[in-house]
Amino acid sequence: MKMVVCHVTLLDGSQFSCEVEKRAKGQYLFFQVCDHLNLLEKDYFGLSFKDNAEQRCWLDVTKEIKRQIRNSQWQFVFSVKFYPPDPSQLTEDITRYLLCLQLRQDIASGRLPCSFVTHALLGSYTLQGELGDHDPEEHRLDYISDFQFAPNQTKELEEKVVELHKSHRGMTPAQADAQFLENAKKLSMYGVDLHHAKDSEGVDIMLGVCSNGLLIYKDRLRINRFAWPKILKISYKRSNFYIKIRPGEAEQFESTVGFKLPNHRAAKRVWKVCVEHHTFFRLVSPEQPTKTKFLTLGSKFRYSGRTQAQTRQASSLIDRPAPAFQRTSSKRISRSLDGAPVVNVSDYSQADGAGENSPALELNSDSKSQQVEVMERPNADAATSITSETAFETDGAGAPQRKDLDKTQEDVLKHQASISELKRSFMEATPEPRPSQWDKHLTGSPATTLRLQTHGVPQNTPPRPGTDSRDASKSAEVKPEGNEVIEVVEETVVIEEVVKAKPKSSTPEASVPVETEVKEERSLSSDSESEDEAEYHAQPPSTSISTQQIKEEPEEEQEAELSQQAPPSAIESQPSAEAADPGPAAEEEKAAQPHEEERTDKPLLTPDEAPNGHAPQGEAPPSPQTAAADEEEPHIVNGSASRVETEHLPQVICCSEPPVVKTEMVTISDTFAAQKTEISTKEVPIVHTETKTITYEAAQLDGNGDGEPGVLMTAQTITSESLCTTTTTHITKTLKGGQSETRIEKRIVITGDSDIDHDQALAQAIKEAKEQHPDMSVTRVVVHKETELAEDED
Amino acid sequence: MAEVPLSKAQLLPGFTHAVVRALPQSLAKEALRTGSLEVDLLKAQEEHDKYVSVLKHRLGLEVVELPADEALPDCVFVEDAAVVCGDTALITRPGAESRRKETEAMKAALTELGLSIVEMTDESATLDGGDVLFTGREFFVGLSMRTNQRGAEILADAFKDYAVSTVPVQDRLHLKSFCSMAGPGLIAIGASEAAQKALKIMQQMSDHNYDKLTLPDDLAANCVYMNLPSKGDSALRLLLQVFEKLKDHMLIPVSNQEKVKVDGALTCCSVLVNRKKNI
């Protein structure tokens, strides 16, 4: 393996070098650096590099370094990525010290503006922390000239700093750091990541992303603020960045606000930063309507990403004596500025305040490469997306479980009732604004709602209520946008496993954390790794996706499914060889959670987690949270789905093998027509979408059994979210002819852009599904992709 | 930047000094006004004396009284001439041309008090202190007939530690024509539509959660609140309604009927300063 030397500029200005394999992932390097620093509370930090355009980008720890930096130097900067709103809650002093170093840079560079008095006060704590008590003998006035306390350091300021330094006598370095942070955190620009943009009228503004939401500045003035709970969706399309706002009490409709960024990359960068900040901070915020709603539905969502809450929890377990660390004098800091991500601005002299806009703002445009995407798919919004659904059906042979049955029916009834309630409330709740183009599409397809009902049979397909509720609750839907190339916005993988007869009731719960990433263009063969961005670029036309579109299509498809469901279901219900016959449709539960997706491009994972990145999955009680529809459609479409017990599938998936029947459907929709309708958003780009559904089914060994519909005994939907995928597991047990059959359908929605290796993700998902339910077989994999056909980009 | 409840201690530091200015005779006829009421100069004088006396005697502030200037009929409303926060004083450029010279005496007085002075020299900028609401954690600047965007930008530059958000003010002279701080984290706000609208905007723009005290009368929402170490919380109030939320405060009713006729509210008549040291 070829080795490469990476150079990392640390917060104290020193350089750290280490060798890594050429194909090493970001986390390897990141962990090396953290180890070197003896840092455990790593999640607040990140590595950045300069791309070819001299823009700072965050290194995605889950991806190969080489692919991210491309032709740039192997030169990185270690810095704070998420500024903790309350530094006193950090567990270790060493973490606080590093944060202090970052803030000193931010202040000296002008990125974090503050008044003269504050400069002086913070400077005095810096001196106390670095030099200890003021010593009149040793500390003549020039003892501080090596320190930079402000962008424009005057003699007057230095005198003030010294005067204050004297008053801190007796304070330990850790206390001085703590005081420094207590004062710094109150600054209005603390932790605000600024990006240049223009509003819809072409006026220059700055977008500031912070722990609470998105701030809009014109010059130095805050002219608007969108707290995370107010934001329903975040998206970007070409060089535009959009946020969809939840209607206020008095308003009826959602509105979309668009901003113009200098270029596509900048738009994507803001979007990513928003997604990451939302994921990292939002979960700890007190008001989370979402949660409540979810609870009502009975499902529980967990984020597997490293949120601030998780980080805190993890750090509360830190059990080591406070590590000794060397404080370096701040001298170096000034030197390090060049390398620092911080950009620098100019000076603010404090007195001349008038009229200056803060240059500081400009500084930052760091792009963070990781993206977390939370997609809630409310109604229609997705811009381009690629959805891949994979359904695995597995049959296991087993003994029937009867007990459940009785209950089941009742439960089912209740279930349905509640579903319809949900549905109703949902519908009422969300008045559909004048449909924007996207919405329109949705409307066009009646499917959504109808669907639920149609399913009628025992299954609960979860209607979209789930979805909706989500919307409401969580605020942000982020949608990824792609580089010019193709981006996969949404990928849905549905895995259905059918177990006949002996279901371990619990089995199902294991949700499958799948990290699937689907590539847009997936060829049947799976060589996932190979794809890289370059290729994507190559296919310009392909896609960028807007979330909205995604939805649309899925819905439509869903409809399709419904219609066919019956038959297919029969098929599904299948045959397992051993089992008795299957009751068809009833059993299926497809839980698809169609639209919600959370995606994250994983933020920094700690080593432990790193490997998969995603972990958790929530389980949801039986509730209809998800709409199953999407998945189903595909099946239906293909019509011939059959489930067999064959175990070939997994393989199939990877590379379509003979037994597999592959069908493909491609739909290209042109959204032009609809476009006029949209109101609130200005200049919404027109997006052409391509939808492709590929179904792989195990060959049917025995004819599909379509039997009589069995009796649904239990149905359960579990939803789990991980960094970039949402997995919904829908488990149904049906009693057919005395045998019980368990069918597990997993739907994995992956939203992503070209950076994701979809094939690999898909293969991984399938593999995991198999491992989790060894006694079941995968009978069907449906991949549904939505891709935006990009027009000329940038 | 965290969304935290405002802790009482950190807000609105106590004040040690107040700068006021005597009433000129010209106030009665020449002071700017949005209505067309006659001012009874004698009564106005009486009210003002009472106001100053409360500051001085009941609240124990050191009061700096500037002499009246007949050429500046509105000079009693010193609030518009300067914005003081911490050790910094921003000398404004009042929106009304006839009032621009009011800042000279104010600047001298504040310099005397040892504040570091920032002047608004940009000729395209206007700002009246009556449009500036400082909550203890951030500023809201009303964009009104008297204050423009540029003025707000300069204020933001003068007080860099704080977020400065702009709030459009319609149908009222100043932002503080219908609101003020009535305690730590407590915004007193009028019930009028204009006031409520402005409050909504302020709430949306803020990272902090403020309590609000809604008063039926917009003018009543303008009060002077100060936290005096020696006296506890005090609030000068225009009218006598007693509000539950203020029960811990010492309420000092002060009549202001005459000055109201020329759009003078309570906060308008003083510039409060905290200068414990150096003086």
Side-chain angles (χ1 to χ4, degrees):
Chain A
M1 206 59 188
K2 283 189 180 172
M3 303 297 281
V4 183
V5 178
C6 296
H7 299 280
V8 181
T9 303
L10 303 179
L11 287 164
D12 62 3
S14 63
Q15 290 286 327
F16 167 73
S17 302
C18 78
E19 264 198 345
V20 303
E21 287 179 0
K22 210 163 181 184
R23 309 211 46 184
K25 291 192 172 171
Q27 68 202 22
Y28 178 81
L29 177 60
F30 182 65
F31 293 144
Q32 289 296 310
V33 176
C34 292
D35 268 0
H36 171 75
L37 293 170
N38 206 3
L39 173 66
L40 293 183
E41 294 174 283
K42 329 175 161 67
D43 302 290
Y44 300 96
F45 301 85
L47 291 175
S48 62
F49 60 93
K50 273 194 182 160
D51 66 11
N52 299 330
E54 288 292 292
Q55 291 291 338
R56 277 266 149 218
C57 302
W58 288 105
L59 183 71
D60 185 336
V61 296
T62 62
K63 296 182 189 157
E64 281 184 28
I65 299 171
K66 186 164 180 292
R67 288 195 188 172
Q68 299 180 63
I69 63 173
R70 300 194 190 172
N71 301 321
S72 310
Q73 303 270 315
W74 289 69
Q75 183 82 45
F76 305 89
V77 174
F78 176 81
S79 47
V80 174
K81 184 171 186 182
F82 298 114
Y83 290 73
D86 186 1
S88 67
Q89 292 200 29
L90 292 175
T91 301
E92 299 198 300
D93 287 341
I94 189 172
T95 314
R96 266 187 289 274
Y97 176 63
L98 292 173
L99 177 58
C100 282
L101 290 178
Q102 175 71 63
L103 289 165
R104 288 180 201 166
Q105 282 184 14
D106 294 347
I107 290 168
S109 67
R111 177 180 173 177
L112 178 58
C114 49
S115 65
F116 176 85
V117 174
T118 304
H119 276 137
L121 185 63
L122 295 177
S124 67
Y125 287 125
T126 295
L127 289 185
Q128 185 69 26
E130 297 288 352
L131 307 176
D133 290 347
H134 179 264
D135 179 349
E137 299 286 304
E138 232 178 282
H139 298 161
R140 302 255 159 224
L141 188 52
D142 60 351
Y143 78 107
I144 56 167
S145 52
D146 288 335
F147 290 86
Q148 191 174 3
F149 306 115
N152 246 5
Q153 189 157 322
T154 60
K155 207 70 190 161
E156 185 192 6
L157 175 63
E158 293 183 355
E159 286 167 6
K160 187 75 181 170
V161 170
V162 173
E163 178 189 327
L164 292 169
H165 179 201
K166 291 176 183 165
S167 70
H168 303 323
R169 181 164 297 281
M171 198 179 276
T172 65
Q175 287 171 331
D177 287 347
Q179 286 300 313
F180 179 97
L181 295 175
E182 280 308 292
N183 285 280
K185 76 174 189 193
K186 292 182 198 157
L187 295 170
S188 79
M189 299 306 289
Y190 172 83
V192 179
D193 192 14
L194 292 170
H195 301 259
H196 279 290
K198 287 184 194 298
D199 66 11
S200 56
E201 282 153 17
V203 177
D204 284 317
I205 55 169
M206 302 288 308
L207 301 180
V209 183
C210 67
S211 58
N212 291 330
L214 183 65
L215 302 168
I216 316 297
Y217 295 91
K218 174 158 187 314
D219 295 316
R220 298 222 22 185
L221 301 174
R222 185 182 290 185
I223 56 174
N224 215 335
R225 173 178 178 270
F226 301 99
W228 293 127
K230 270 292 265 186
I231 302 178
L232 287 171
K233 186 175 79 173
I234 303 172
S235 58
Y236 72 97
K237 168 65 184 155
R238 297 211 199 95
S239 58
N240 296 307
F241 172 70
Y242 302 100
I243 54 178
K244 189 182 210 177
I245 312 298
R246 178 186 308 287
E249 302 158 14
E251 305 142 28
Q252 238 179 329
F253 303 126
E254 300 164 345
S255 54
T256 299
V257 183
F259 302 97
K260 181 92 180 158
L261 278 289
N263 54 52
H264 175 80
R265 290 181 152 241
K268 183 174 180 179
R269 214 180 293 132
V270 182
W271 176 81
K272 282 183 170 179
V273 173
C274 282
V275 173
E276 290 172 331
H277 277 69
H278 174 266
T279 304
F280 190 79
F281 292 110
R282 168 71 177 143
L283 295 184
V284 282
S285 93
E287 345 85 2
Q288 253 191 343
T290 316
K291 276 195 175 167
T292 327
K293 286 215 174 166
F294 283 127
L295 290 178
T296 335
L297 292 179
S299 44
K300 198 161 139 196
F301 286 85
R302 269 193 272 152
Y303 283 79
S304 56
R306 272 275 172 143
T307 62
Q308 177 174 241
Q310 290 169 327
T311 298
R312 283 183 180 166
Q313 194 173 14
S315 38
S316 67
L317 302 177
I318 292 177
D319 181 22
R320 66 173 180 182
F325 56 93
Q326 178 118 36
R327 281 163 191 277
T328 51
S329 89
S330 332
K331 290 182 191 176
R332 297 212 207 136
I333 292 181
S334 30
R335 275 189 234 141
S336 66
L337 284 180
D338 323 317
V342 178
V343 183
N344 77 49
V345 183
S346 50
D347 29 321
Y348 275 52
S349 47
Q350 80 159 103
D352 78 337
E356 259 196 281
N357 302 343
S358 46
L361 299 184
E362 306 198 357
L363 298 183
N364 337 304
S365 26
D366 325 356
S367 51
K368 314 203 163 177
S369 45
Q370 314 188 349
Q371 6 175 304
V372 177
E373 200 178 20
V374 180
M375 274 191 88
E376 306 181 346
R377 283 178 149 204
N379 310 312
D381 18 332
T384 16
S385 58
I386 299 178
T387 311
S388 41
E389 309 185 350
T390 315
F392 299 75
E393 297 187 356
T394 327
D395 292 341
Q401 286 192 342
R402 280 261 158 148
K403 298 180 183 176
D404 299 324
L405 297 180
D406 302 310
K407 267 188 203 164
T408 342
Q409 291 229 351
E410 263 183 45
D411 291 351
V412 173
L413 291 177
K414 281 185 197 161
H415 226 50
Q416 291 195 313
S418 62
I419 293 176
S420 50
E421 247 182 65
L422 286 172
K423 199 183 15 178
R424 218 178 302 129
S425 59
F426 167 56
M427 297 179 64
E428 291 169 6
T430 349
E432 211 100 22
R434 240 140 351 79
S436 59
Q437 74 182 72
W438 318 114
D439 294 330
K440 228 191 178 176
H441 285 298
L442 292 179
T443 333
S445 51
T448 337
T449 30
L450 295 182
R451 225 220 236 159
L452 301 177
Q453 305 185 338
T454 323
H455 277 316
V457 195
Q459 80 257 36
N460 18 351
T461 327
R464 308 198 130 221
T467 318
D468 301 336
S469 49
R470 249 218 190 161
D471 275 352
S473 40
K474 263 178 174 179
S475 33
E477 175 175 1
V478 181
K479 42 165 104 149
E481 269 215 331
N483 298 326
E484 322 101 23
V485 186
I486 303 175
E487 294 194 357
V488 177
V489 175
E490 202 182 312
E491 308 181 358
T492 310
V493 177
V494 180
I495 300 179
E496 260 184 38
E497 304 183 5
V498 179
V499 176
K500 273 192 177 181
K502 74 167 73 117
K504 319 166 165 187
S505 41
S506 51
T507 322
E509 302 207 342
S511 33
V512 181
V514 178
E515 302 187 22
T516 9
E517 306 189 340
V518 179
K519 240 191 202 174
E520 298 185 344
E521 296 243 321
R522 53 166 28 210
S523 43
L524 299 181
S525 54
S526 52
D527 40 277
S528 31
E529 307 195 350
S530 54
E531 304 228 352
D532 49 358
E533 306 182 342
E535 292 187 349
Y536 285 140
H537 280 297
Q539 321 175 342
S542 12
T543 352
S544 11
I545 303 175
S546 62
T547 332
Q548 303 181 341
Q549 296 185 339
I550 296 179
K551 289 188 176 182
E552 292 183 358
E553 297 192 347
E555 297 184 354
E556 296 184 358
E557 297 182 3
Q558 297 179 351
E559 293 186 0
E561 291 190 31
L562 296 178
S563 44
Q564 301 193 351
Q565 234 180 354
S569 53
I571 300 178
E572 297 182 355
S573 36
Q574 97 246 168
S576 30
E578 321 188 346
D581 357 341
E587 318 182 358
E588 334 192 78
E589 338 179 294
K590 314 180 161 195
Q593 262 194 339
H595 304 302
E596 344 184 84
E597 318 186 351
E598 272 233 316
R599 67 145 20 176
T600 318
D601 282 347
K602 337 152 171 195
L604 318 177
L605 303 181
T606 42
D608 337 342
E609 320 187 340
N612 292 336
H614 329 24
Q617 331 194 333
E619 29 198 341
S623 60
Q625 268 208 222
T626 28
D630 292 345
E631 323 172 351
E632 300 186 351
E633 297 188 2
H635 308 264
I636 299 179
V637 175
N638 302 319
S640 57
S642 50
R643 324 195 150 177
V644 179
E645 305 192 359
T646 13
E647 311 211 3
H648 315 327
L649 278 191
Q651 305 167 350
V652 173
I653 300 176
C654 300
C655 17
S656 43
E657 294 288 331
V660 180
V661 178
K662 169 192 155 200
T663 48
E664 184 168 338
M665 182 182 73
V666 178
T667 311
I668 297 185
S669 57
D670 178 314
T671 48
F672 271 103
Q675 185 152 18
K676 300 173 187 170
T677 1
E678 80 177 60
I679 305 176
S680 49
T681 313
K682 296 190 181 181
E683 306 182 10
V684 175
I686 297 173
V687 181
H688 299 269
T689 324
E690 178 182 49
T691 309
K692 210 185 255 194
T693 303
I694 302 175
T695 305
Y696 304 86
E697 307 219 22
Q700 293 195 331
L701 300 184
D702 31 354
N704 317 339
D706 28 11
E708 326 116 34
V711 177
L712 177 63
M713 304 169 62
T714 57
Q716 186 172 20
T717 302
I718 299 170
T719 303
S720 64
E721 301 175 20
S722 65
L723 293 177
C724 53
T725 60
T726 298
T727 304
T728 305
T729 307
H730 197 75
I731 301 165
T732 3
K733 285 183 200 161
T734 317
L735 179 62
K736 294 184 196 170
Q739 293 268 355
S740 81
E741 175 180 291
T742 300
R743 180 178 298 256
I744 300 176
E745 183 173 304
K746 298 199 184 218
R747 180 189 184 78
I748 302 163
V749 179
I750 301 172
T751 305
D753 55 22
S754 51
D755 295 344
I756 299 183
D757 180 338
H758 306 288
D759 285 341
Q760 186 176 20
L762 178 61
Q764 173 75 6
I766 294 170
K767 185 172 155 224
E768 288 178 15
K770 267 211 104 185
E771 284 169 357
Q772 286 187 0
H773 308 285
D775 53 342
M776 298 178 97
S777 58
V778 176
T779 55
R780 186 167 60 170
V781 177
V782 178
V783 177
H784 176 75
K785 288 188 282 188
E786 285 199 18
T787 326
E788 173 181 316
L789 301 177
E791 294 177 308
D792 44 337
E793 278 275 328
D794 308 326
Chain B
M1 292 301 302
E3 194 146 333
V4 258
L6 297 169
S7 92
K8 300 208 167 185
Q10 69 191 150
L11 294 179
L12 305 177
F15 296 107
T16 56
H17 293 69
V19 178
V20 299
R21 194 160 190 179
L23 282 175
Q25 301 284 332
S26 54
L27 171 83
K29 301 263 188 257
E30 296 167 42
L32 301 172
R33 66 203 77 191
T34 50
S36 53
L37 299 172
E38 285 277 316
V39 175
D40 178 333
L41 196 61
L42 271 186
K43 263 197 186 165
Q45 185 66 55
E46 220 169 80
E47 287 171 4
H48 188 63
D49 290 346
K50 174 83 190 305
Y51 178 90
V52 172
S53 140
V54 167
L55 292 178
K56 223 187 271 187
H57 306 297
R58 298 210 38 201
L59 301 177
L61 299 182
E62 193 151 322
V63 177
V64 177
E65 290 191 73
L66 304 176
D69 183 338
E70 290 301 329
L72 301 170
D74 293 291
C75 70
V76 66
F77 304 120
V78 292
E79 174 185 49
D80 293 322
V83 177
V84 176
C85 178
D87 292 335
T88 303
L90 171 68
I91 305 301
T92 66
R93 188 165 179 278
E97 183 113 35
S98 65
R99 303 191 56 189
R100 301 261 158 86
K101 287 197 167 358
E102 290 178 26
T103 58
E104 294 171 3
M106 178 57 69
K107 179 183 164 192
L110 295 176
T111 305
E112 186 77 7
L113 285 172
L115 295 171
S116 85
I117 306 290
V118 177
E119 290 192 80
M120 197 173 281
T121 49
D122 187 329
E123 306 234 318
S124 66
T126 62
L127 179 89
D128 274 15
D131 278 316
V132 180
L133 177 66
F134 178 61
T135 66
R137 286 304 296 271
E138 64 192 314
F139 284 96
F140 290 105
V141 177
L143 297 181
S144 65
M145 290 180 291
R146 300 281 178 83
T147 299
N148 63 21
Q149 179 96 11
R150 188 77 193 108
E153 282 167 21
I154 293 171
L155 179 129
D157 247 1
F159 303 105
K160 294 196 179 70
D161 292 352
Y162 301 100
V164 177
S165 303
T166 53
V167 183
V169 172
Q170 283 154 359
D171 310 325
R172 294 293 186 280
L173 179 63
H174 286 140
L175 176 65
K176 282 195 282 191
S177 294
F178 51 74
C179 69
S180 64
M181 294 309 289
L186 176 63
I187 296 178
I189 185 81
S192 73
E193 199 179 314
Q196 292 296 316
K197 204 168 156 191
L199 176 68
K200 269 225 163 97
I201 292 174
M202 292 193 278
Q203 287 172 330
Q204 182 184 331
M205 303 273 253
S206 178
D207 296 315
H208 307 289
N209 295 314
Y210 296 102
D211 290 327
K212 66 173 178 178
L213 171 57
T214 306
L215 304 180
D217 183 351
D218 276 3
L219 263 181
N222 180 286
C223 63
V224 175
Y225 163 83
M226 62 191 79
N227 176 7
L228 300 173
S230 54
K231 313 255 176 184
D233 290 356
S234 305
L236 293 186
R237 299 242 13 276
L238 179 61
L239 300 176
L240 257 179
Q241 296 111 328
V242 173
F243 299 96
E244 284 295 305
K245 288 185 182 173
L246 292 181
K247 64 190 170 199
D248 295 338
H249 299 178
M250 169 168 64
L251 284 179
I252 304 175
V254 178
S255 169
N256 197 39
Q257 290 179 358
E258 291 306 314
K259 282 186 281 192
V260 162
K261 293 175 182 171
V262 285
D263 302 310
L266 282 184
T267 59
C268 298
C269 303
S270 58
V271 169
L272 301 172
V273 177
N274 181 23
R275 289 259 81 190
K276 289 190 181 116
K277 305 167 189 173
N278 308 341
I279 298 274

